Amino acid sequence: MTITIYGSGVSRGIAIGKVYRLERGEVEVYEAAIPRHLVEDEVARFQRAVEIARQQLRSIRDSIPGSTPVDITDFIDTHLLMLDDSLLTAAPVELIRQRQCNAEWALKAQRDALAQVFDEMDDPYLRTRKDDIDHVVTRIQRILLGLDASSEEPAAEQLRGTIVLAHDLTPAETALLHHQGIAGFATESGGPLSHTSILARSLGMPAIVGTHLIPQQIRDGSTVILDAGHGMLLADVDDATLKDYRRRRRKEQKRRSELNRLKDQPAVTLDGIGIRLLANVELREDVLAARRAAADGIGLYRTEFLFMNRSDIPDEEEQLKQYLSVMKTLKGLPITIRTLDLGSDKECGAEPASEHIAPNPALGLRAIRLCLKYADLFRPQLRAILRASARGPVRLMIPMLSSARELNEVLTLIEDVRQELARDGLAFDPDMPVGGMIEVPAAALSAGLFAKRLDFLSIGTNDLIQYTLAIDRVDDEVTYLYDPLHPAVLRLIKMVIDAGRQQQVPVAMCGEMAGDPVYTRLLLGMGLTDFSVHPTSLLEVKATIQHSRVSDFRDLVDDILAEDDPEAIASLLSRLNQI
Ligand code: PEP
Ligand code: MG
C-alpha cells in the first residue's frame, strides 16, 4: 500500500528515483569540567575546530563548478561569514573561560541563547535564519567530537538520480548534492523559507521539508515519487501511479526546459513590439533569482523590508551599503528603488507612528504620507538613494501618490536633498529618474498630471484594486471580491497607460497582475510595454509575450474594455488567450 508523507513543498516539480538515506545521526553534547590550567588548551581546541570548519566550507565552495547556473556560493559564504562572527566564535571562548567547561558545551549554550532570540522574531524569514546557525554549529560540534562529516561523504555515482532523505540538509550539502546529480530531496526538519529551501527553489530542484518523520520502512534503494508541488513523498506505489507520475514529469520537464531556453531570448511579440521585463524584489535571494531569470532590471525594490523586525531605524550609511550591495549583485542592471511604503499592513517596530493605531490603516498614514510627515525618517533614505545613484543606474519611485500637492511636496524635498548633498560634497546623479506609483484611483484618474511631472509611472495593481473596489487586501473575508478584471479597474489601468503614452513617459505595471500570464495579452493589447514581476513568473510571462501578435487582438481588448458584464469579460478573455 502506498505510504504518503506530507511536508512543505519548497519548489515545484516531480522527481522519481531510488531512495538514498543520508543518515547523519544527532550530535549529543555533554558538559564536562575543565581544570583551570587546561582552559586555554580547550580554547585552542575550539578555535582549531572553527578553522577546520572554515576550511571545509571553503573546499565545498571551491568544488562547485563556476558554470553552476546559480549563485549558490553565496549560501556557503553566509556560513563562512558566521564563522567570523564573534557571536559564534568569541562568545563560546568567553563561556569556556568563565564556566571552565568543555568547548562543545560552551558552543551549545551560545547556540541555545541565539536560538531563543531568533524564536522570538515575528518575521518567519528571519526566524528560519536559526537553521543557518544550527548548520554551522553542528559542523563545528562534529569536528570537536571527531565526527568529521567529510569522511562520510557518499560518492557521486551512488547519488546520481536518487532522492535523498535526510533529517536536515545544510545549504552547502544541498549545493554539493545538486552538483552530484540528485533528483530531489525530502528532509524531516526545516521550513519553506530556510536557505536550504530557497536554494532548492533557485536550483529548480524538487524538494519538500518539514516532514517531521520519514519512516524507516522507506528503505535505501526503493523507488519513491517526490511531488514537490503538492508537498508529498510517495513510497510503495503501484505501477499505474508510477506510470501516471512519469507522464506528468515528462510534461513538466518539457515545459521547464522550454522556459529555460527563453532566458537569453528577447521579450518581443510576434509583431515586433519589444517589452521590458523587470523583476520585483524584496530580499537578496530575489535579486539573485532576478539575475538568473535574465530580468532587464529591477522594477520594484521594496525597501521597507530593511526596516522591519528591528527596534531601530537603519541610518543613511546602512541604507546606502544595502543599496550598493544589491547593485553589485545586479552588475550594472538598472534598479528602481521604491521609497518607504510603511504603514497599513507593513509594520516597523521603530516607526515614528507605530504607537498610533489608525482606525483604518490602509487609508491612513502610510507610504509617502508617512514619509512626508516624518522627514527624519525620509531624508536619510532620499540621501542614501541619491548617493547610490552616483554608482549605477538607479531610479527612485514614490509609492501611494494621490495628489498634486503631495507631488509638489515630495519633488521639493528631493531637490532640497540634492542641494544638501552638493553642499556636503557627496556625489549623486543629478539626472536620476524620479517616478511614482499609481495605486490610488485619484492618481489613476489624474495620471496625466503625474506623467507631466515625473520621469516614469508604475501601476501598483495590488493597491489600485484594493482602493478602487474598497476591498481590504489582507482581509480573507473579501478576497473573493478582489478582481483585476472589474471594468473599473481595467479602465483605470488603460487611463494610466494612455496618459503615459501622451506624455511620452514610460509606464510599467508592478502589481501581481503583471506577473499572471492570464492577463499578459490583455495588458499588451492595452499598450503596456514594461512589466515588473516576481522573478519566478518572469519566464512564463516572456513565453506568453513571444506567442502574442498584438495586432491580432487589439479589437478584442477594446471589446473587453467596453464590456460591463463579468461573465462576458471572462469569456472574451478566454477567447483572447486562445488566439
Ligand atoms: C502594489 O500595490 O501593486 C504594489 C506593487 O505595491 P505593494 O504590493 O508593495 O503595496
Ligand atoms: Mg502598493
Side-chain angles (χ1 to χ4, degrees):
M1 206 181 65
T2 303
I3 305 173
T4 308
I5 313 287
Y6 293 95
S8 302
V10 299
S11 51
R12 283 193 245 169
I14 293 166
I16 302 171
K18 297 222 181 309
V19 166
Y20 188 100
R21 290 197 81 115
L22 199 63
E23 312 285 3
R24 287 261 184 266
E26 291 287 296
V27 178
E28 299 232 11
V29 171
Y30 300 98
E31 183 170 17
I34 302 291
R36 183 177 295 277
H37 70 283
L38 292 179
V39 161
E40 286 312 309
D41 289 350
E42 191 63 8
V43 167
R45 188 169 78 87
F46 172 73
Q47 287 168 336
R48 260 195 318 278
V50 171
E51 187 45 41
I52 294 172
R54 198 174 278 127
Q55 283 163 12
Q56 283 180 353
L57 284 172
R58 282 196 193 122
S59 102
I60 292 175
R61 189 183 55 186
D62 295 345
S63 70
I64 295 165
S67 58
T68 309
V70 60
D71 217 344
I72 52 181
T73 48
D74 271 28
F75 293 91
I76 299 169
D77 284 342
T78 306
H79 285 195
L80 274 166
L81 276 176
M82 282 183 171
L83 286 173
D84 289 333
D85 193 317
S86 60
L87 282 173
L88 267 188
T89 52
V93 168
E94 284 308 300
L95 285 170
I96 295 171
R97 288 187 177 132
Q98 270 169 21
R99 294 196 196 177
Q100 293 184 27
C101 67
N102 53 331
E104 292 89 338
W105 192 252
L107 183 59
K108 179 185 179 319
Q110 178 62 7
R111 178 262 164 215
D112 292 348
L114 289 173
Q116 197 180 345
V117 175
F118 276 84
D119 280 341
E120 282 163 10
M121 289 180 171
D122 287 336
D123 185 318
Y125 173 78
L126 287 178
R127 219 167 36 229
T128 56
R129 296 284 64 84
K130 191 178 83 178
D131 295 349
D132 290 306
I133 295 182
D134 279 341
H135 291 153
V136 174
V137 166
T138 306
R139 182 170 290 278
I140 305 172
Q141 293 287 26
R142 295 185 71 83
I143 296 165
L144 286 167
L145 293 164
L147 303 169
D148 187 346
S150 58
S151 57
E152 304 169 19
E153 296 301 352
E157 57 276 13
Q158 287 173 274
L159 285 165
R160 191 155 301 118
T162 62
I163 292 176
V164 168
L165 307 185
H167 174 66
D168 195 10
L169 288 175
T170 66
E173 286 167 335
T174 309
L176 253 192
L177 288 170
H178 174 73
H179 176 46
Q180 290 167 322
I182 67 163
F185 69 81
T187 60
E188 292 177 330
S189 73
L193 295 174
S194 71
H195 268 154
T196 295
S197 301
I198 291 167
L199 186 53
R201 260 196 298 281
S202 302
L203 292 165
M205 180 160 52
I208 64 172
V209 298
T211 61
H212 298 294
L213 188 75
I214 301 176
Q216 288 298 330
Q217 278 159 278
I218 307 182
R219 292 189 194 289
D220 251 347
S222 60
T223 298
V224 288
I225 297 169
L226 186 67
D227 180 351
H230 294 97
M232 295 193 307
L233 176 74
L234 307 172
D236 278 353
V237 285
D238 55 41
D239 286 349
T241 311
L242 205 55
K243 206 168 147 203
D244 179 46
Y245 266 99
R246 286 208 170 106
R247 185 189 51 77
R248 282 159 65 175
R249 184 180 56 173
R250 272 196 303 278
K251 204 167 148 205
E252 191 195 271
Q253 284 169 340
K254 187 163 169 255
R255 176 81 188 136
R256 205 152 357 122
S257 68
E258 275 165 9
L259 283 180
N260 267 333
R261 256 184 272 135
L262 302 186
K263 273 185 195 166
D264 303 320
Q265 296 179 14
V268 181
T269 64
L270 290 171
D271 44 353
I273 303 172
I275 302 298
R276 269 209 328 162
L277 271 182
L278 304 158
N280 294 349
V281 300
E282 291 158 14
L283 307 169
R284 184 170 157 66
E285 286 75 15
D286 300 327
V287 185
L288 295 171
R291 238 186 52 202
R292 283 193 299 279
D296 294 321
I298 302 302
L300 167 64
Y301 172 29
R302 291 181 164 103
T303 56
E304 50 278 7
F305 284 83
L306 244 160
F307 288 67
M308 291 180 181
N309 285 300
R310 53 193 289 170
S311 53
D312 61 339
I313 288 174
D315 65 11
E316 179 181 328
E317 295 304 323
E318 184 182 339
Q319 291 186 57
L320 176 63
K321 206 165 137 207
Q322 178 66 26
Y323 304 151
L324 292 179
S325 139
V326 171
M327 286 161 70
K328 189 167 162 222
T329 309
L330 285 172
K331 297 193 163 77
L333 289 175
I335 179 167
T336 311
I337 306 180
R338 178 174 76 180
T339 60
L340 268 176
D341 186 7
L342 282 176
S344 191
D345 57 321
K346 294 178 196 156
E347 289 166 13
C348 152
E351 197 177 312
S354 61
E355 356 30 284
H356 169 72
I357 310 289
N360 201 339
L363 302 183
L365 204 56
R366 65 168 282 206
I368 192 61
R369 304 169 179 183
L370 183 89
C371 287
L372 286 174
K373 175 150 184 195
Y374 297 102
D376 288 354
L377 178 73
F378 199 25
R379 282 185 95 97
Q381 178 169 50
L382 292 178
R383 283 175 62 99
I385 297 175
L386 272 159
R387 285 175 65 190
S389 74
R391 309 273 291 275
V394 171
R395 311 196 300 173
L396 178 148
M397 182 160 79
I398 307 148
M400 272 277 289
L401 283 169
S402 60
S403 69
R405 190 186 305 239
E406 219 166 35
L407 181 62
N408 288 343
E409 220 182 310
V410 71
L411 291 179
T412 308
L413 186 62
I414 292 171
E415 185 47 37
D416 198 46
V417 171
R418 279 197 194 103
Q419 288 174 16
E420 190 181 70
L421 287 175
R423 277 198 304 276
D424 294 347
L426 293 167
F428 63 92
D429 171 10
D431 299 321
M432 177 191 71
V434 175
M437 288 188 71
I438 304 295
E439 315 186 77
V440 178
L445 288 162
S446 51
L449 129 84
F450 294 94
K452 274 189 201 130
R453 313 269 314 274
L454 290 164
D455 299 313
F456 65 95
L457 302 179
S458 188
I459 308 171
T461 44
N462 306 343
D463 277 315
L464 185 62
I465 297 171
Q466 146 164 280
Y467 295 126
T468 305
L469 304 183
I471 298 157
D472 188 339
R473 66 193 258 195
V474 295
D475 184 349
D476 289 351
E477 298 278 333
V478 288
T479 307
Y480 74 103
L481 293 169
Y482 203 84
D483 181 13
L485 293 177
H486 191 294
V489 173
L490 294 182
R491 288 168 202 165
L492 287 174
I493 293 172
K494 180 77 170 112
M495 288 174 85
V496 182
I497 296 172
D498 289 348
R501 179 155 291 168
Q502 258 175 23
Q503 300 300 327
Q504 296 183 339
V505 161
V507 175
M509 178 180 286
C510 61
E512 292 302 306
M513 187 179 179
D516 188 339
V518 166
Y519 306 120
T520 306
R521 284 190 168 176
L522 175 61
L523 295 170
L524 288 172
M526 289 163 80
L528 191 75
T529 50
D530 290 23
F531 290 64
S532 190
V533 308
H534 191 273
T536 49
S537 310
L538 201 135
L539 293 175
E540 290 216 47
V541 172
K542 190 188 273 189
T544 311
I545 291 168
Q546 290 186 332
H547 286 98
S548 301
R549 187 184 304 279
V550 181
S551 51
D552 283 352
F553 53 72
R554 255 197 206 104
D555 291 347
L556 192 51
V557 169
D558 285 345
D559 292 346
I560 293 178
L561 288 169
E563 188 54 70
D564 286 318
D565 175 48
E567 275 169 21
I569 292 178
S571 109
L572 287 170
L573 183 74
S574 130
R575 238 175 78 198
L576 168 64
N577 286 335
Q578 276 161 25
I579 286 176

